[in-house]
Coordinates of all heavy atoms in Angstrom, one line a residue:
M20 N 20.8 -17.3 10.9 CA 19.5 -17.7 10.9 C 18.7 -16.8 10.0 O 18.7 -15.6 10.0 CB 18.9 -17.7 12.3 CG 17.5 -18.0 12.4 SD 16.9 -17.9 14.1 CE 15.8 -19.2 14.2
C21 N 17.8 -17.4 9.1 CA 17.0 -16.6 8.3 C 15.6 -16.7 8.7 O 15.1 -17.7 9.4 CB 17.0 -17.2 6.9 SG 18.6 -16.9 6.0
T22 N 14.9 -15.6 8.6 CA 13.5 -15.5 9.1 C 12.7 -15.1 7.8 O 13.1 -14.3 7.1 CB 13.4 -14.5 10.1 OG1 14.2 -14.8 11.3 CG2 11.9 -14.5 10.6
T23 N 11.5 -15.9 7.6 CA 10.7 -15.5 6.6 C 9.7 -14.5 7.0 O 9.0 -14.5 8.1 CB 10.0 -16.7 6.0 OG1 11.0 -17.6 5.5 CG2 9.0 -16.3 4.8
Y24 N 9.4 -13.4 6.2 CA 8.5 -12.4 6.4 C 7.6 -12.4 5.3 O 7.8 -11.8 4.1 CB 9.1 -11.0 6.6 CG 9.9 -10.9 7.9 CD1 11.2 -11.2 7.9 CD2 9.3 -10.5 9.1 CE1 12.0 -11.0 9.1 CE2 10.1 -10.4 10.3 CZ 11.3 -10.7 10.3 OH 12.0 -10.6 11.4
P25 N 6.4 -13.1 5.4 CA 5.4 -13.3 4.2 C 5.1 -11.9 3.6 O 5.0 -11.9 2.3 CB 4.2 -13.9 4.9 CG 4.7 -14.5 6.2 CD 5.8 -13.6 6.6
Q26 N 5.0 -10.8 4.3 CA 4.6 -9.5 3.8 C 5.7 -9.1 2.8 O 5.3 -8.2 1.9 CB 4.2 -8.5 4.8 CG 5.5 -8.0 5.6 CD 5.6 -8.9 6.9 OE1 5.4 -10.1 6.9 NE2 5.9 -8.1 8.0
Y27 N 6.9 -9.5 2.8 CA 8.0 -9.2 2.0 C 8.4 -10.3 1.0 O 9.1 -10.0 0.1 CB 9.2 -8.7 2.7 CG 8.9 -7.6 3.8 CD1 8.8 -7.9 5.2 CD2 8.6 -6.4 3.3 CE1 8.5 -6.8 6.1 CE2 8.2 -5.3 4.2 CZ 8.2 -5.6 5.5 OH 7.9 -4.6 6.4
G28 N 7.8 -11.4 1.1 CA 7.9 -12.5 0.1 C 9.3 -13.1 0.1 O 9.6 -13.7 -0.9
R29 N 10.1 -13.0 1.1 CA 11.4 -13.6 1.0 C 12.1 -13.8 2.4 O 11.4 -13.4 3.4 CB 12.4 -12.7 0.1 CG 12.5 -11.4 0.6 CD 13.4 -10.6 -0.3 NE 13.1 -9.3 -0.2 CZ 13.4 -8.3 -1.0 NH1 14.2 -8.6 -2.1 NH2 13.2 -7.1 -0.9
Q30 N 13.1 -14.4 2.5 CA 13.8 -14.7 3.7 C 14.9 -13.6 3.9 O 15.5 -13.0 3.1 CB 14.5 -16.0 3.7 CG 13.6 -17.1 3.8 CD 14.5 -18.5 3.9 OE1 15.5 -18.5 3.6 NE2 13.8 -19.5 4.4
Y31 N 15.0 -13.3 5.3 CA 16.0 -12.3 5.6 C 16.9 -13.0 6.6 O 16.6 -13.8 7.4 CB 15.4 -11.1 6.4 CG 14.7 -10.3 5.3 CD1 13.3 -10.6 5.1 CD2 15.4 -9.3 4.7 CE1 12.7 -9.7 4.0 CE2 14.6 -8.5 3.7 CZ 13.4 -8.7 3.4 OH 12.7 -8.1 2.5
G32 N 18.2 -12.7 6.6 CA 19.2 -13.2 7.5 C 20.5 -12.9 6.7 O 20.6 -12.9 5.6
C33 N 21.6 -12.8 7.5 CA 22.8 -12.5 6.9 C 23.7 -13.8 6.7 O 25.0 -13.7 6.6 CB 23.7 -11.4 7.7 SG 22.8 -9.9 7.6
G34 N 23.1 -14.9 6.7 CA 23.8 -16.1 6.4 C 24.8 -16.6 7.6 O 24.6 -16.2 8.7
S35 N 25.9 -17.2 7.1 CA 26.8 -17.7 8.2 C 28.1 -16.7 8.3 O 29.1 -17.2 8.9 CB 27.2 -19.1 7.9 OG 27.8 -19.1 6.6
T36 N 28.0 -15.6 7.9 CA 29.1 -14.7 8.1 C 29.3 -14.4 9.5 O 28.3 -14.1 10.3 CB 28.8 -13.3 7.4 OG1 28.3 -13.6 6.1 CG2 29.9 -12.4 7.5
P37 N 30.7 -14.4 9.9 CA 30.9 -14.1 11.4 C 30.3 -12.7 11.8 O 30.2 -11.9 10.9 CB 32.5 -14.0 11.4 CG 32.7 -14.7 10.2 CD 31.8 -14.6 9.2
N38 N 30.0 -12.6 12.9 CA 29.2 -11.3 13.4 C 30.3 -10.3 13.9 O 30.5 -10.4 15.0 CB 28.2 -11.7 14.4 CG 27.4 -10.5 15.0 OD1 27.5 -9.4 14.4 ND2 26.4 -10.9 15.8
P39 N 30.6 -9.3 13.1 CA 31.5 -8.3 13.5 C 30.7 -7.3 14.4 O 31.4 -6.5 15.1 CB 32.0 -7.6 12.2 CG 30.9 -7.9 11.3 CD 30.2 -9.2 11.6
C40 N 29.5 -7.5 14.6 CA 28.7 -6.5 15.3 C 27.9 -7.3 16.3 O 26.8 -7.4 16.2 CB 27.7 -5.7 14.3 SG 26.5 -4.6 15.3
S41 N 28.6 -8.0 17.2 CA 27.8 -8.8 18.2 C 27.2 -7.9 19.1 O 27.8 -6.8 19.5 CB 28.9 -9.7 18.9 OG 30.0 -9.0 19.4
P42 N 25.9 -8.3 19.5 CA 25.2 -7.4 20.4 C 26.0 -7.1 21.7 O 26.5 -8.1 22.3 CB 23.8 -8.1 20.8 CG 23.7 -9.1 19.6 CD 25.2 -9.5 19.2
C43 N 26.2 -5.8 22.0 CA 27.0 -5.6 23.3 C 26.4 -4.3 23.9 O 25.8 -3.5 23.2 CB 28.4 -5.6 23.1 SG 28.9 -4.2 21.9
T44 N 26.8 -4.1 25.1 CA 26.3 -2.9 25.8 C 27.5 -2.2 26.4 O 28.4 -3.0 27.1 CB 25.3 -3.1 26.9 OG1 24.3 -3.9 26.4 CG2 24.8 -2.0 27.6
T45 N 27.8 -1.0 26.2 CA 28.8 -0.3 26.9 C 28.2 0.6 27.8 O 26.9 0.7 27.9 CB 29.7 0.4 25.8 OG1 28.9 1.4 25.2 CG2 30.5 -0.4 24.9
S46 N 28.9 1.5 28.6 CA 28.2 2.4 29.4 C 27.4 3.4 28.7 O 26.4 3.8 29.3 CB 29.3 3.2 30.2 OG 30.1 3.9 29.2
N47 N 27.6 3.6 27.5 CA 26.7 4.7 26.8 C 26.0 4.2 25.6 O 25.3 5.0 24.9 CB 27.5 5.9 26.4 CG 28.2 6.6 27.6 OD1 27.6 6.7 28.7 ND2 29.3 7.0 27.4
S48 N 26.2 3.0 25.1 CA 25.5 2.6 23.8 C 25.3 1.0 23.8 O 25.9 0.3 24.6 CB 26.5 2.9 22.7 OG 27.7 2.3 22.7
V49 N 24.5 0.7 22.8 CA 24.0 -0.6 22.5 C 24.3 -0.9 21.1 O 24.0 0.1 20.3 CB 22.6 -0.9 23.0 CG1 22.1 -2.3 22.6 CG2 22.5 -0.8 24.5
T50 N 24.6 -2.0 20.6 CA 24.6 -2.3 19.2 C 23.6 -3.4 18.9 O 23.3 -4.3 19.6 CB 26.1 -2.7 18.7 OG1 26.5 -3.9 19.4 CG2 27.1 -1.5 18.8
M51 N 23.2 -3.3 17.7 CA 22.2 -4.3 17.1 C 22.6 -4.6 15.8 O 22.8 -3.8 14.9 CB 20.8 -3.5 17.0 CG 19.8 -4.4 16.3 SD 18.3 -3.4 16.0 CE 17.7 -2.9 17.6
R52 N 22.6 -5.9 15.4 CA 22.9 -6.4 14.1 C 21.4 -6.7 13.5 O 20.7 -7.3 14.0 CB 23.6 -7.7 14.1 CG 24.1 -8.2 12.8 CD 25.0 -9.4 13.0 NE 25.5 -9.8 11.7 CZ 25.2 -11.2 11.3 NH1 24.5 -12.0 11.9 NH2 25.5 -11.6 10.1
A53 N 21.3 -6.0 12.3 CA 19.9 -6.0 11.8 C 19.9 -6.0 10.3 O 21.0 -5.6 9.6 CB 19.2 -4.8 12.2
Q54 N 18.8 -6.4 9.6 CA 18.8 -6.4 8.2 C 17.6 -5.4 7.8 O 16.5 -5.3 8.3 CB 18.4 -7.8 7.6 CG 18.5 -7.7 6.1 CD 18.7 -9.2 5.5 OE1 18.3 -10.1 6.3 NE2 19.3 -9.2 4.4
V55 N 17.9 -4.6 6.8 CA 16.9 -3.6 6.3 C 15.8 -4.2 5.6 O 15.8 -5.0 4.7 CB 17.7 -2.6 5.4 CG1 16.5 -1.5 4.9 CG2 18.8 -1.9 6.1
L56 N 14.5 -4.0 6.1 CA 13.3 -4.5 5.5 C 12.7 -3.3 4.6 O 12.1 -3.5 3.5 CB 12.3 -4.8 6.6 CG 12.8 -5.9 7.5 CD1 11.7 -6.2 8.6 CD2 12.9 -7.1 6.7
E57 N 12.6 -2.1 5.1 CA 12.2 -1.0 4.3 C 13.0 0.4 4.6 O 13.5 0.5 5.6 CB 10.7 -0.7 4.7 CG 9.7 -1.7 4.3 CD 8.3 -1.3 4.7 OE1 7.8 -0.3 4.3 OE2 7.6 -2.1 5.3
V58 N 13.0 1.2 3.6 CA 13.6 2.5 3.8 C 12.7 3.6 3.6 O 11.9 3.6 2.6 CB 14.8 2.6 2.6 CG1 15.5 3.9 2.6 CG2 15.8 1.4 2.8
F59 N 12.7 4.5 4.6 CA 11.9 5.7 4.5 C 12.8 7.0 4.4 O 14.1 6.8 4.5 CB 11.1 5.8 5.8 CG 10.1 4.7 5.9 CD1 10.5 3.6 6.8 CD2 8.9 4.5 5.2 CE1 9.7 2.5 7.0 CE2 8.1 3.4 5.4 CZ 8.6 2.3 6.2
C60 N 12.2 8.2 4.2 CA 13.2 9.3 4.2 C 13.9 9.6 5.4 O 15.1 10.0 5.3 CB 12.2 10.6 4.0 SG 11.4 10.6 2.4
D61 N 13.5 9.4 6.6 CA 14.1 9.6 7.8 C 14.3 8.4 8.8 O 14.7 8.5 9.9 CB 13.4 10.7 8.5 CG 11.9 10.3 8.9 OD1 11.5 9.4 8.4 OD2 11.3 11.1 9.6
A62 N 14.0 7.2 8.2 CA 14.1 5.9 9.1 C 14.1 4.8 8.4 O 13.9 4.7 7.1 CB 12.7 6.1 9.9
L63 N 14.5 3.7 9.0 CA 14.6 2.3 8.4 C 13.7 1.5 9.3 O 13.7 1.6 10.5 CB 16.0 1.9 8.4 CG 17.1 2.6 7.8 CD1 18.5 2.1 8.2 CD2 17.0 2.5 6.2
L64 N 13.1 0.4 8.6 CA 12.5 -0.7 9.3 C 13.3 -1.8 9.1 O 13.7 -2.2 8.0 CB 11.1 -0.9 8.7 CG 10.4 -2.0 9.5 CD1 10.0 -1.6 10.9 CD2 9.1 -2.4 8.7
V65 N 13.8 -2.3 10.2 CA 14.8 -3.4 10.2 C 14.4 -4.6 11.1 O 13.5 -4.5 11.8 CB 16.2 -3.0 10.8 CG1 16.8 -1.7 10.0 CG2 16.2 -2.7 12.2
C66 N 15.0 -5.7 10.8 CA 14.7 -7.0 11.6 C 16.0 -7.2 12.4 O 17.1 -7.4 11.9 CB 14.6 -8.1 10.6 SG 14.5 -9.6 11.6
D67 N 15.8 -7.0 13.7 CA 17.0 -7.3 14.6 C 17.2 -8.8 14.5 O 16.4 -9.6 14.8 CB 16.5 -7.0 16.1 CG 17.5 -7.2 17.1 OD1 18.4 -8.0 16.9 OD2 17.4 -6.6 18.3
L68 N 18.4 -9.0 14.1 CA 18.8 -10.5 13.9 C 18.9 -11.4 15.1 O 19.0 -12.5 15.0 CB 20.1 -10.6 13.0 CG 19.8 -10.0 11.5 CD1 21.1 -10.1 10.8 CD2 18.7 -10.7 10.8
S69 N 19.1 -10.8 16.2 CA 19.2 -11.5 17.5 C 17.8 -11.8 18.1 O 17.6 -12.9 18.8 CB 20.1 -10.9 18.5 OG 19.5 -9.7 18.9
T70 N 16.8 -11.0 17.7 CA 15.5 -11.3 18.4 C 14.4 -11.6 17.4 O 13.2 -11.9 17.7 CB 15.1 -10.1 19.2 OG1 14.8 -8.9 18.3 CG2 16.0 -9.7 20.3
C71 N 14.7 -11.3 16.0 CA 13.8 -11.3 15.0 C 12.5 -10.4 15.2 O 11.6 -10.5 14.6 CB 13.2 -12.8 14.8 SG 14.5 -14.1 14.3
Q72 N 12.9 -9.2 15.8 CA 11.8 -8.3 16.1 C 12.0 -7.2 15.0 O 13.2 -6.8 14.8 CB 12.0 -7.7 17.5 CG 11.1 -6.7 17.9 CD 11.2 -6.2 19.2 OE1 12.4 -6.2 19.9 NE2 10.2 -5.6 19.9
Q73 N 11.0 -6.5 14.5 CA 11.0 -5.5 13.6 C 11.2 -4.1 14.5 O 10.5 -4.1 15.5 CB 9.7 -5.3 12.8 CG 9.8 -6.5 11.8 CD 8.5 -6.3 10.9 OE1 7.9 -5.1 10.8 NE2 8.1 -7.3 10.1
V74 N 12.1 -3.3 14.0 CA 12.4 -2.2 14.9 C 12.5 -0.9 13.8 O 13.0 -1.1 12.7 CB 13.8 -2.3 15.6 CG1 14.1 -0.9 16.3 CG2 13.7 -3.4 16.6
R75 N 11.9 0.1 14.1 CA 12.1 1.4 13.4 C 13.4 2.1 13.8 O 13.5 2.4 15.1 CB 10.9 2.3 13.4 CG 11.0 3.6 12.7 CD 9.8 4.4 12.8 NE 10.1 5.8 12.3 CZ 9.5 6.2 11.2 NH1 8.7 5.4 10.4 NH2 9.9 7.5 10.8
V76 N 14.2 2.4 13.0 CA 15.5 3.0 13.3 C 15.5 4.6 12.8 O 15.5 4.7 11.4 CB 16.8 2.4 12.8 CG1 18.0 3.1 13.0 CG2 16.8 1.0 13.2
N77 N 15.3 5.5 13.7 CA 15.3 6.9 13.1 C 16.8 7.4 12.9 O 17.6 7.3 13.8 CB 14.7 7.7 14.2 CG 13.2 7.3 14.5 OD1 12.4 7.2 13.4 ND2 12.8 7.2 15.7
T78 N 17.0 7.8 11.6 CA 18.2 8.4 11.3 C 18.1 9.2 10.1 O 17.3 8.9 9.1 CB 19.2 7.2 10.8 OG1 20.4 7.8 10.4 CG2 18.7 6.2 9.9
P79 N 18.8 10.4 10.1 CA 18.6 11.4 8.9 C 19.3 10.7 7.7 O 19.1 11.2 6.6 CB 19.3 12.6 9.3 CG 20.3 12.2 10.4 CD 19.6 11.0 11.1
D80 N 20.2 9.7 7.8 CA 20.9 9.1 6.7 C 20.1 7.9 6.1 O 20.7 7.1 5.5 CB 22.2 8.6 7.1 CG 23.1 9.9 7.6 OD1 22.9 11.0 7.0 OD2 24.0 9.7 8.5
A81 N 18.8 7.7 6.4 CA 18.1 6.5 6.0 C 18.2 6.2 4.5 O 18.3 5.1 4.0 CB 16.7 6.6 6.4
C82 N 18.3 7.3 3.7 CA 18.3 7.1 2.2 C 19.6 6.4 1.7 O 19.7 6.1 0.5 CB 18.0 8.4 1.5 SG 16.4 9.1 1.8
C83 N 20.6 6.4 2.6 CA 21.9 5.8 2.2 C 21.9 4.3 2.2 O 22.8 3.7 1.7 CB 22.9 6.3 3.1 SG 23.3 8.0 3.2
Y84 N 20.8 3.7 2.7 CA 20.7 2.2 2.8 C 19.7 1.6 1.8 O 18.8 2.2 1.4 CB 20.4 1.8 4.3 CG 21.6 2.6 5.2 CD1 21.3 3.7 5.8 CD2 22.9 2.0 5.4 CE1 22.1 4.3 6.6 CE2 23.8 2.6 6.0 CZ 23.4 3.8 6.7 OH 24.4 4.4 7.5
Q85 N 19.9 0.2 1.7 CA 19.0 -0.4 0.7 C 18.5 -1.6 1.4 O 19.0 -2.3 2.3 CB 19.8 -0.9 -0.4 CG 20.4 0.2 -1.3 CD 21.2 -0.3 -2.4 OE1 21.5 -1.5 -2.5 NE2 21.6 0.6 -3.2
V86 N 17.3 -2.0 0.9 CA 16.5 -3.2 1.5 C 17.5 -4.5 1.3 O 18.2 -4.5 0.3 CB 15.2 -3.5 0.8 CG1 14.7 -4.8 1.1 CG2 14.2 -2.4 1.1
G87 N 17.6 -5.2 2.3 CA 18.4 -6.4 2.3 C 19.8 -6.3 2.9 O 20.4 -7.3 3.2
Q88 N 20.3 -5.1 3.1 CA 21.6 -4.8 3.7 C 21.7 -5.3 5.1 O 20.6 -4.9 5.8 CB 22.1 -3.4 3.5 CG 22.4 -2.9 2.2 CD 23.0 -1.5 2.3 OE1 22.3 -0.6 2.8 NE2 24.1 -1.3 1.6
C89 N 22.7 -5.7 5.5 CA 23.0 -6.1 7.0 C 23.7 -4.9 7.6 O 24.6 -4.4 6.9 CB 23.6 -7.3 7.2 SG 22.7 -8.8 6.8
L90 N 23.2 -4.5 8.8 CA 23.8 -3.3 9.4 C 24.2 -3.6 10.9 O 23.6 -4.4 11.5 CB 22.7 -2.2 9.4 CG 22.2 -1.7 8.0 CD1 21.1 -0.6 8.3 CD2 23.2 -1.2 7.0
C91 N 25.1 -2.8 11.2 CA 25.5 -2.8 12.7 C 25.1 -1.4 13.3 O 25.6 -0.4 12.8 CB 27.0 -3.0 12.9 SG 27.4 -3.0 14.7
I92 N 24.0 -1.4 14.0 CA 23.3 -0.1 14.5 C 23.8 0.2 15.9 O 23.5 -0.7 16.7 CB 21.9 -0.2 14.3 CG1 21.5 -0.5 12.8 CG2 21.3 1.1 14.7 CD1 20.1 -0.9 12.6
T93 N 24.3 1.3 16.2 CA 24.6 1.7 17.6 C 23.6 2.8 18.0 O 23.3 3.6 17.2 CB 26.1 2.4 17.6 OG1 27.0 1.3 17.2 CG2 26.5 2.7 19.1
Y94 N 23.1 2.6 19.2 CA 22.1 3.6 19.7 C 22.4 3.7 21.2 O 23.2 2.9 21.8 CB 20.7 3.2 19.3 CG 20.2 1.9 20.0 CD1 19.4 1.9 20.9 CD2 20.6 0.6 19.4 CE1 18.8 0.7 21.5 CE2 20.1 -0.5 19.9 CZ 19.2 -0.6 21.0 OH 18.7 -1.7 21.6
N95 N 21.6 4.6 21.9 CA 21.9 4.9 23.3 C 21.2 4.0 24.3 O 21.2 4.1 25.6 CB 21.4 6.3 23.6 CG 20.0 6.5 23.5 OD1 19.2 5.6 23.1 ND2 19.5 7.7 23.7
G96 N 20.6 2.9 23.8 CA 19.9 1.9 24.5 C 18.5 2.2 24.8 O 17.7 1.3 25.4
V97 N 18.0 3.3 24.5 CA 16.6 3.6 24.7 C 15.8 3.2 23.5 O 16.1 3.4 22.3 CB 16.3 5.1 24.9 CG1 14.9 5.5 24.8 CG2 17.1 5.6 26.0
M98 N 14.7 2.3 23.8 CA 13.8 1.8 22.8 C 12.4 2.0 23.1 O 12.1 1.7 24.4 CB 14.1 0.4 22.6 CG 13.3 -0.4 21.4 SD 13.6 -2.2 21.3 CE 15.2 -2.0 20.5
T99 N 11.6 2.6 22.4 CA 10.2 2.8 22.7 C 9.3 1.6 22.9 O 9.8 0.5 22.4 CB 9.5 3.9 21.7 OG1 9.4 3.1 20.4 CG2 10.4 5.2 21.5
T100 N 8.2 1.7 23.5 CA 7.3 0.5 23.7 C 6.2 0.6 22.5 O 5.4 -0.2 22.6 CB 6.7 0.4 25.0 OG1 6.1 1.9 25.2 CG2 7.8 0.3 26.1
S101 N 6.5 1.3 21.6 CA 5.5 1.4 20.4 C 5.6 0.2 19.6 O 6.6 -0.6 19.8 CB 5.8 2.7 19.6 OG 7.0 2.5 19.1
L102 N 4.6 0.0 18.6 CA 4.7 -1.1 17.7 C 4.9 -0.5 16.3 O 3.9 0.1 15.9 CB 3.5 -2.0 17.8 CG 3.4 -2.8 19.1 CD1 2.1 -3.5 19.1 CD2 4.5 -3.8 19.2
P103 N 6.0 -0.7 15.6 CA 7.2 -1.5 16.1 C 7.9 -0.4 17.1 O 7.7 0.7 17.0 CB 8.0 -1.6 14.8 CG 7.7 -0.6 13.9 CD 6.1 -0.3 14.2
P104 N 8.8 -1.0 17.8 CA 9.6 -0.2 18.7 C 10.5 0.6 18.0 O 10.8 0.4 16.8 CB 10.5 -1.2 19.6 CG 10.2 -2.5 19.0 CD 9.0 -2.4 18.1
Q105 N 10.9 1.8 18.4 CA 11.8 2.8 17.8 C 13.0 3.0 18.5 O 13.0 3.1 19.7 CB 11.0 4.1 17.5 CG 9.8 3.9 16.7 CD 9.2 5.2 16.4 OE1 9.8 6.2 16.2 NE2 7.8 5.3 16.5
I106 N 14.1 3.2 17.8 CA 15.4 3.7 18.4 C 15.9 4.9 17.5 O 15.5 5.1 16.3 CB 16.5 2.5 18.4 CG1 16.8 2.0 17.1 CG2 15.9 1.4 19.3 CD1 18.0 1.0 17.0
S107 N 16.8 5.6 18.0 CA 17.6 6.7 17.2 C 18.9 6.3 17.1 O 19.6 6.1 18.1 CB 17.4 8.0 18.0 OG 16.0 8.5 17.9
A108 N 19.4 6.0 15.9 CA 20.8 5.5 15.6 C 21.8 6.7 16.0 O 21.5 7.8 15.6 CB 20.9 5.1 14.3
T109 N 22.9 6.3 16.6 CA 24.0 7.2 16.8 C 25.1 6.9 15.7 O 25.8 7.8 15.3 CB 24.7 7.2 18.3 OG1 25.0 5.8 18.4 CG2 23.7 7.7 19.2
S110 N 25.1 5.8 15.2 CA 26.0 5.3 14.0 C 25.4 4.1 13.5 O 24.8 3.2 14.1 CB 27.4 5.2 14.5 OG 27.6 4.0 15.2
I111 N 25.7 4.0 12.1 CA 25.3 2.8 11.4 C 26.5 2.4 10.5 O 27.0 3.2 9.8 CB 24.1 3.0 10.5 CG1 22.9 3.4 11.4 CG2 23.8 1.7 9.7 CD1 21.6 3.8 10.7
Q112 N 26.8 1.0 10.6 CA 27.8 0.5 9.7 C 27.3 -0.7 8.8 O 26.5 -1.5 9.4 CB 29.0 -0.1 10.6 CG 30.0 -0.8 9.8 CD 31.0 -1.4 10.8 OE1 30.9 -1.3 12.1 NE2 32.0 -2.0 10.3
V113 N 27.6 -0.6 7.5 CA 27.2 -1.7 6.7 C 28.1 -2.9 6.9 O 29.3 -2.7 6.9 CB 27.2 -1.3 5.2 CG1 26.8 -2.4 4.3 CG2 26.2 0.0 5.1
L114 N 27.5 -4.0 7.1 CA 28.3 -5.3 7.3 C 28.5 -5.9 5.9 O 27.8 -5.9 5.0 CB 27.6 -6.2 8.2 CG 27.3 -5.7 9.6 CD1 26.5 -6.6 10.4 CD2 28.6 -5.4 10.3

């Protein structure tokens, strides 16, 4: 499913590719399939593809990623109630 974000002037979504990062919860972690909207020095702004919600992902490796990439983000399940919500990634895999 693609979502249009007018502020970015294009559609986001990873097409019909099978989802190797299906949202799941284990005893210690949660995964999110998301697309990169913006890259900062220490964080990414992504669109969670299951909820279409923008989320800030705190990671020291943010500079390794590019706008438009689809990612599988693993985190500890804690998400702030700020706008946008924030998580701290424990691992990120490019899809």
Side-chain angles (χ1 to χ4, degrees):
M20 173 184 221
C21 289
T22 303
T23 300
Y24 291 92
Q26 67 269 40
Y27 302 109
R29 57 184 157 193
Q30 288 190 335
Y31 288 89
C33 294
S35 59
T36 305
N38 185 357
C40 174
S41 52
C43 63
T44 303
T45 62
S46 60
N47 297 325
S48 65
V49 175
T50 58
M51 172 192 301
R52 185 170 179 245
Q54 189 162 25
V55 179
L56 300 176
E57 290 186 52
V58 177
F59 303 99
C60 294
D61 59 351
L63 302 168
L64 181 64
V65 302
C66 174
D67 180 340
L68 296 177
S69 65
T70 65
C71 294
Q72 179 180 28
Q73 290 185 14
V74 178
R75 180 182 166 105
V76 180
N77 297 312
T78 176
D80 298 327
C82 296
C83 297
Y84 305 99
Q85 298 176 351
V86 171
Q88 283 184 309
C89 287
L90 307 175
C91 181
I92 302 164
T93 303
Y94 65 104
N95 66 1
V97 176
M98 184 179 288
T99 68
T100 57
S101 60
L102 291 176
Q105 297 183 41
I106 61 172
S107 293
T109 54
S110 71
I111 300 176
Q112 175 186 0
V113 177
L114 300 176

